[in-house]
Amino acid sequence: MPPNPLPVLGRVMGIVPLGIGVTVLGFLWGMPFGEFGSPPLFFRLFGSFIALAFVLTGLGIVFGSAAIAQSHAPPRYPEPQFDISPPDDRPPGTRFVCPKCGAPLAEKVDVSPHGDAKCGYCNSWFNIHGK
């Protein structure tokens, strides 16, 4: 399964509004007061509120994309392991054999919850419980 590109893409897309907001804030408050061409205080405050919206949007995209990607990730369940130990009526150490060809069942073979197993030699299916 390929890695999820959403967190990386979200961080890259969040840089755009974050950069715009920081640039506007730097421009508005970095210029000296009272010089020719410097913005008046009203425009500095008004522009700062607009730039703050851009900064918060960018931060929300950058930090929220990883949380969203993690919440949409498929759950990881452990691989089921089935124990094919013989039923209680058989003596210990008895191995299962294929009823069709007589080949012994492999040591760590996958068995369904109902006891169905596949012979590794003749590829036939049988039930280890004898049903």
Side-chain angles (χ1 to χ4, degrees):
M1 183 172 180
N4 190 353
L6 187 59
V8 175
L9 182 63
R11 288 189 180 123
V12 170
M13 293 304 293
I15 291 173
V16 174
L18 182 63
I20 291 171
V22 169
T23 303
V24 169
L25 283 173
F27 169 75
L28 288 175
W29 294 101
M31 296 192 68
F33 285 88
E35 286 192 9
F36 181 74
S38 67
L41 181 62
F42 173 76
F43 289 120
R44 288 180 196 243
L45 292 175
F46 187 77
S48 295
F49 286 123
I50 294 172
L52 185 63
F54 275 85
V55 169
L56 293 177
T57 301
L59 289 174
I61 292 171
V62 168
F63 292 112
S65 63
I68 291 171
Q70 188 177 14
S71 69
H72 291 298
R76 296 184 182 222
Y77 298 109
E79 188 74 26
Q81 299 292 326
F82 299 106
D83 184 21
I84 59 166
S85 59
D88 295 340
D89 57 343
R90 292 187 180 198
T94 304
R95 294 183 52 115
F96 293 102
V97 294
C98 175
K100 185 174 179 183
C101 68
L105 197 58
E107 191 71 27
K108 300 243 182 207
V109 70
D110 290 330
V111 177
S112 75
H114 297 288
D116 296 322
K118 187 175 184 180
C119 176
Y121 185 74
C122 68
N123 292 327
S124 65
W125 287 91
F126 65 97
N127 192 292
I128 62 170
H129 302 301
K131 294 180 182 175

